């Protein structure tokens, strides 16, 4: 573990659900020693599925298991003076603190950045909140769905003209908590930037991450157009793309193709054997094809595509230098040959959940490999290691802290 990029960096995580834990997980995957601090009742993610066999269990949540690999796990309540003093001792021994409490909460606990930096001037404190630490919305509560739509992501999804009335379709919820993960990624990048600067200045700093702003960055082109021209783009309008392009059903699923360039069209026709309808004048030039409507073109392509598999269409058109991608279902992705060769999914044992497959690191390093070193911690699994070996608490003191509800 000593040759990983962030080896020697200590991170304290006081966060729940997805964004904060995922931010810390990315740092842990890079080699940082992350100590996750949970309240005695546990991270709320432990109550969220999916669960093996759909049986809820606090140690078997797929969400929690994924977002908390490579971490140590301890419990600590900040409701008492003693609990807060213990937290300060942990901060003194940390390079980074990642937290996601509502604005003002840490200050009310006596654990705000100005207080903590007196104990540890090199501390980088990253706070992740729905709308940031300032502004009229700072105290608004929000779920991930509120934030998704608060950033315009719901109106920009789906981003492709799959159907003629796409512009009139209601806002769509993004799948897989992608917004939460994107916010965690944004926070991790900001934290790494501050860590890099601290290497030269020996000074930490406070990082204020607004989830709404992080998600707005996903819509930067649309925001820029709106600010420049006063026009709302929402979703891509069908007339802005070739009417031949889009998503098509095929024999074993769906494919998405772009036929906007002239050579794309001729490659498709060559692959299809130049059907009779392609001789119509309206298909003769790029300009004429761009005047067509989806209702005119898709019905002509669908019957032929429906007779071929994704792989047949993919390789047939790629050989002819035409862009096309197969649409995979989630359960198919781990079993693709490419994923197997890349060894992106790895198996790891967990004392409660058993042996499961996990996505590995987000990138491959040639000289400092990133890997999964440990499964997500059981609730309070490393209390003795952290409080006993690092902070010097004896067995009697640990028993007292447990009996009083502090850990």
């Amino acid at each position: 573990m000593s040759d990983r990029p962030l080896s020697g960096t200590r991170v304290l995580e006081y966060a729940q659900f997805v964004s904060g834990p995922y931010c810390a997980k990315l740092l842990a995957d890079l080699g940082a020693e992350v100590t996750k601090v949970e309240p005695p009742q546990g991270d709320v993610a432990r109550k969220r599925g999916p669960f093996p066999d759909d049986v809820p269990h606090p140690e078997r949540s797929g969400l929690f298991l994924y977002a908390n690999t490579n971490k140590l796990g301890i419990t600590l309540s900040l409701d008492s003076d003693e609990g807060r003093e213990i937290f300060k001792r942990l901060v003194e021994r940390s390079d980074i603190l990642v937290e996601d409490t509502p604005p003002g909460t840490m200050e009310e606990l006596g654990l705000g950045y100005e207080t903590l930096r007196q104990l540890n001037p090199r501390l980088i404190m990253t706070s992740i909140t729905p709308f940031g630490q300032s502004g009229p919305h700072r105290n608004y509560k929000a779920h991930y769905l509120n934030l998704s739509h608060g950033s315009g992501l719901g109106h920009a999804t789906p981003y492709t003209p799959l159907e003629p009335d796409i512009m009139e379709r209601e806002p769509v919820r993004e799948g897989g908590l992608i917004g939460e993960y994107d916010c965690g990624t944004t926070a991790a990048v900001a934290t790494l930037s501050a860590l890099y600067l601290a290497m030269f200045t020996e000074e930490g700093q406070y990082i204020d991450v607004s989830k709404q702003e992080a998600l707005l960055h996903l819509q930067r082109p649309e925001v820029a157009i709106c600010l420049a021209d006063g026009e709302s783009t929402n979703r891509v309008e069908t007339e802005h793309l070739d009417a031949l392009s889009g998503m098509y059903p095929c024999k074993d699923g769906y494919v998405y193709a772009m036929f906007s360039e002239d050579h794309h069209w001729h490659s498709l026709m060559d692959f299809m054997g130049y059907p009779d309808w392609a001789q119509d004048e309206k298909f003769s030039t790029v300009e004429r094809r761009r005047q067509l409507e989806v209702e005119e073109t898709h019905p002509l392509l669908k019957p032929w595509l429906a007779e071929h598999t994704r792989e047949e269409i993919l390789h047939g058109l790629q050989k002819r230098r035409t862009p096309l991608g197969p649409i995979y279902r989630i359960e198919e992705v781990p079993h693709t040959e490419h994923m197997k060769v890349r060894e992106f999914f790895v198996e790891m044992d967990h004392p409660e959940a058993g042996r499961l497959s996990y996505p590995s690191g987000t990138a491959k390093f040639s000289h400092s490999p990133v890997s999964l070193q440990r499964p997500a911690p059981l609730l309070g699994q490393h209390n003795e290691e952290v409080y006993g070996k690092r902070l010097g608490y004896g067995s009697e003191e640990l028993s007292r802290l447990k009996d009083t509800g502090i850990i």
Side-chain angles (χ1 to χ4, degrees):
M1 296 176 65
S2 61
D3 61 349
R4 295 195 290 164
L6 293 185
S7 293
T9 302
R10 285 189 169 180
V11 179
L12 191 65
E13 176 204 315
Y14 187 63
Q16 301 190 54
F17 196 47
V18 177
S19 291
Y22 187 64
C23 168
K25 169 192 161 52
L26 292 175
L27 303 180
D29 289 350
L30 291 172
E33 180 190 88
V34 176
T35 301
K36 180 181 180 67
V37 181
E38 297 184 69
Q41 65 271 24
D43 185 333
V44 295
R46 292 180 178 273
K47 300 178 181 179
R48 295 287 297 266
F51 297 100
D53 300 319
D54 291 327
V55 179
H57 190 291
E59 302 292 0
R60 300 176 187 173
S61 160
L63 176 63
F64 183 86
L65 291 173
Y66 170 65
N68 293 283
T69 52
N70 283 339
K71 300 178 186 179
L72 301 172
I74 63 174
T75 53
L76 180 64
S77 171
L78 303 186
D79 292 338
S80 68
D81 291 338
E82 185 172 11
R84 293 189 285 272
E85 287 304 314
I86 293 174
F87 190 83
K88 289 179 180 178
R89 293 184 64 188
L90 293 170
V91 168
E92 288 178 320
R93 292 161 173 78
S94 302
D95 300 295
I96 296 167
L97 169 62
V98 177
E99 67 91 19
D100 65 352
T101 62
T105 300
M106 298 300 281
E107 286 77 8
E108 291 173 3
L109 293 171
L111 301 172
Y113 176 67
E114 292 304 321
T115 298
L116 298 180
R117 72 191 293 255
Q118 301 303 316
L119 304 174
N120 183 353
R122 202 173 181 274
L123 177 70
I124 296 165
M125 181 171 175
T126 300
S127 295
I128 306 171
T129 57
F131 301 103
Q133 300 291 322
S134 59
H137 293 174
R138 70 186 292 268
N139 292 321
Y140 282 19
K141 296 181 180 180
H143 294 285
Y144 63 91
L145 185 60
N146 304 124
L147 293 164
S148 171
H149 294 302
S151 68
L153 185 58
H155 262 295
T157 307
Y159 198 72
T160 52
L162 307 185
E163 48 213 37
D165 61 346
I166 192 68
M167 291 298 290
E168 285 72 44
R169 185 173 174 178
E170 71 281 356
V172 177
R173 168 185 157 186
E174 86 287 353
L177 297 172
I178 185 174
E180 284 289 303
Y181 287 106
D182 283 326
C183 293
T185 302
T186 297
V189 171
T191 302
L192 287 172
S193 301
L195 181 64
Y196 180 78
L197 182 60
M199 292 170 56
F200 301 97
T201 64
E202 291 298 318
E203 292 184 3
Q205 59 181 303
Y206 183 72
I207 301 174
D208 171 10
V209 178
S210 159
K211 291 183 180 182
Q212 182 188 35
E213 293 169 11
L215 293 180
L216 274 169
H217 276 275
L218 298 178
Q219 278 76 248
R220 277 184 293 182
E222 289 75 21
V223 173
I225 292 172
C226 182
L227 292 175
D229 301 332
E231 295 183 1
S232 175
T233 57
N234 287 331
R235 299 180 174 112
V236 176
E237 297 184 23
T238 55
E239 61 262 34
H240 289 175
L241 293 175
D242 193 300
L244 289 160
S245 302
M247 184 182 293
Y248 291 95
C250 59
K251 193 172 184 178
D252 60 348
Y254 290 84
V255 293
Y256 188 85
M258 296 291 291
F259 301 123
S260 55
E261 301 296 332
D262 200 50
H263 71 276
H264 297 161
W265 161 258
H266 289 292
S267 294
L268 174 64
M269 292 303 100
D270 179 64
F271 189 28
M272 294 179 65
Y274 281 96
D276 293 339
W277 57 260
Q279 310 309 315
D280 193 303
E281 276 296 310
K282 63 184 178 183
F283 297 110
S284 61
T285 66
V286 171
E287 291 71 21
R288 289 185 177 183
R289 292 194 296 273
R290 285 179 178 169
Q291 300 302 314
L292 300 175
E293 299 292 337
V294 170
E295 296 90 338
E296 296 178 80
T297 58
H298 282 217
L300 297 174
L301 298 179
K302 283 183 178 180
W304 184 87
L305 293 171
E307 295 178 354
H308 296 78
T309 67
R310 288 173 297 185
E311 293 297 311
E312 290 171 344
I313 300 168
L314 170 66
H315 295 302
L317 286 176
Q318 283 194 340
K319 287 179 181 178
R320 294 167 172 81
R321 303 181 64 80
T322 297
L324 177 137
I327 308 298
Y328 291 115
R329 295 184 296 273
I330 292 296
E331 65 269 20
E332 294 179 301
V333 175
H335 305 293
T336 61
E337 187 63 26
H338 184 73
M339 288 290 98
K340 291 178 181 178
V341 171
R342 293 278 296 175
E343 298 181 335
F344 178 71
F345 291 93
V346 298
E347 290 189 344
M348 186 164 52
D349 290 312
H350 185 274
E352 276 289 345
R355 192 166 186 81
L356 298 171
S357 293
Y358 295 79
S360 58
T362 55
K364 294 185 181 296
F365 291 69
S366 60
H367 300 300
S368 49
V370 174
S371 61
L372 296 184
Q373 301 289 329
R374 65 173 84 234
L378 301 172
L379 184 60
Q381 180 178 346
H382 301 100
N383 280 355
E384 184 174 343
E385 176 180 340
V386 174
Y387 293 131
K389 297 180 180 179
R390 299 185 185 180
L391 299 188
Y393 285 89
S395 57
E396 291 185 2
E397 289 177 293
L398 289 175
S399 296
R400 179 184 61 82
L401 291 173
K402 184 175 180 180
D403 292 341
T404 56
I406 294 177
I407 65 174

